[in-house]
Amino acid sequence: MTLTLLTVLVFAVASILTLYMILFTAVIQDFMCMKISNRLIVSGLIWGLAFRLMGDGMAGVLPFLIHISIPVILLFLLFQLRVIGAGDIKLFSVAGGFLSMRQLLYVILAAFVTAAVIGLGKLLYQKRMAGIFGNQRTLIHFSAMILIGYFIVVWGCAIE
């Protein structure tokens, strides 16, 4: 029984760290290139499916497909309105491949709340500096908000 508990713990930690690495890499790409590589997205989806198969066997395939589809369905309108980029939606889908439905929805919510707070701060700062630098575009690297949202959900709430 101890071996099983140890195996489950190692599996959970490996899954958490793998998604952290993917999200962190996406943030670096987003800041450096203003784009998240499709190779990273595909790699993340493959890892998510692999962890799902190791944990749930073939029964994990359908939940995996549903979880990676939810961000596309929920956020498509925001993409059309140019509020969020396609890479960010794909990154949410990658996260969905690793997370439960509840965790995924909380990550999305936490990312948007974080983006709103940081965006408001940037707007206030830019408004204050408008006299010096003129009007500037307020850009938020949403991949960083997704990483922060994931951090909040995994370590702050421990939502199962």
Side-chain angles (χ1 to χ4, degrees), residues 92-154:
F92 274 127
S93 291
V94 168
F98 286 82
L99 302 173
S100 70
M101 183 63 71
R102 175 179 265 168
Q103 288 173 320
L104 173 61
L105 294 175
Y106 278 115
V107 167
I108 292 171
L109 178 64
F112 275 95
V113 169
T114 304
V117 170
I118 290 173
L120 180 62
K122 284 181 86 169
L123 280 172
L124 293 173
Y125 176 77
Q126 287 178 351
K127 183 176 180 181
R128 184 174 167 202
M129 295 303 206
I132 300 169
F133 299 110
N135 288 334
Q136 295 177 345
R137 182 175 160 208
T138 302
L139 176 68
I140 294 178
H141 294 277
F142 210 84
S143 60
M145 304 306 111
I146 297 170
L147 177 62
I148 292 168
Y150 180 62
F151 184 81
I152 290 168
V153 169
V154 169

Side-chain angles (χ1 to χ4, degrees), residues 5-156:
L5 182 59
L6 180 62
T7 303
V8 169
L9 182 62
V10 168
F11 179 76
V13 169
S15 177
I16 289 169
L17 292 177
T18 300
L19 184 52
Y20 265 128
M21 287 177 34
I22 292 165
L23 294 174
F24 188 73
T25 302
V27 170
I28 292 170
Q29 288 179 352
D30 193 10
F31 273 86
M32 291 181 70
C33 307
M34 300 290 293
K35 184 177 184 215
I36 299 169
S37 154
N38 282 332
R39 288 182 184 182
L40 180 65
I41 298 298
V42 170
S43 168
L45 291 172
I46 290 169
W47 276 108
L49 180 59
F51 277 108
R52 190 73 65 152
L53 289 172
M54 286 188 285
D56 301 330
M58 289 304 291
V61 173
L62 184 59
F64 172 81
L65 293 173
I66 292 169
H67 292 190
I68 68 171
S69 300
I70 291 299
V72 177
I73 294 165
L74 290 178
L75 303 173
F76 182 74
L77 180 60
L78 294 178
F79 169 71
Q80 290 295 321
L81 296 172
R82 297 182 184 261
V83 172
I84 188 169
D88 302 317
I89 294 174
K90 291 185 278 187
L91 198 57
F92 274 127
S93 291
V94 168
F98 286 82
L99 302 173
S100 70
M101 183 63 71
R102 175 179 265 168
Q103 288 173 320
L104 173 61
L105 294 175
Y106 278 115
V107 167
I108 292 171
L109 178 64
F112 275 95
V113 169
T114 304
V117 170
I118 290 173
L120 180 62
K122 284 181 86 169
L123 280 172
L124 293 173
Y125 176 77
Q126 287 178 351
K127 183 176 180 181
R128 184 174 167 202
M129 295 303 206
I132 300 169
F133 299 110
N135 288 334
Q136 295 177 345
R137 182 175 160 208
T138 302
L139 176 68
I140 294 178
H141 294 277
F142 210 84
S143 60
M145 304 306 111
I146 297 170
L147 177 62
I148 292 168
Y150 180 62
F151 184 81
I152 290 168
V153 169
V154 169
W155 300 110

